[in-house]
Structure formats: structure tokens, C-alpha cells
Amino acid sequence: MHQVWGGGGGIIARARVSFGGPGATERAIRERLGLAPVRYYQLLNALLDDPRALAHDPITVNRLRRIRDSRRAER
């Protein structure tokens, strides 16, 4: 997980911010992080299980874990 955490703070910070309008989130991910949206979401999902991410921003990580868990339960 160390490789994932290298830019983890920026990824978690981006998840904390909401962008309005269709495509705005994906555009912000590309512009601010230099990542394809698919890769961003892959990294974010991996970070949600990293204890360092939880220590860095517990409110955001716990909120995203709840969302992820509820989506998994719906499947």
C-alpha cells in the first residue's frame, strides 16, 4: 500500500470536495491530479482500506467507506 499512499493525501482531499455539473468531477480529477477518472477511483478504493488514510482524514474516509459498503450491499 505504500505506493498507493504516495499521493494518497491529494486523492483523499479531492474526494472531500464536491464539484457541480455533469463531468465537472472527472475534469477536476484530470486537471488537478493528472489521473484518468477510472484510475482515481481505483486508487481511492484502495486507500479506503489503508490505515494511514483513516488517520489522515477520518471523517472523509469513514463517509466514503459507508457509501462503498451500502453500494456493495445493494448488489
Side-chain angles (χ1 to χ4, degrees):
M1 282 288 175
H2 179 68
Q3 295 170 332
V4 173
W5 181 251
I11 291 172
I12 295 295
R14 200 339 274 145
R16 189 180 325 123
V17 179
S18 177
F19 295 93
T25 300
E26 288 77 14
R27 188 170 43 254
I29 290 167
R30 281 193 176 98
E31 291 173 0
R32 295 178 184 191
L33 298 175
L35 295 170
V38 170
R39 184 64 181 146
Y40 164 78
Y41 288 112
Q42 290 171 340
L43 291 171
L44 179 61
N45 190 50
L47 282 170
L48 294 181
D49 296 323
D50 190 320
R52 291 170 292 187
L54 184 61
H56 176 74
D57 191 342
I59 294 171
T60 301
V61 170
N62 284 326
R63 178 179 58 84
L64 294 171
R65 282 179 177 178
R66 282 191 305 273
I67 292 168
R68 180 182 66 179
D69 293 345
S70 69
R71 288 182 180 161
R72 283 183 179 171
E74 290 174 1
R75 294 184 203 167

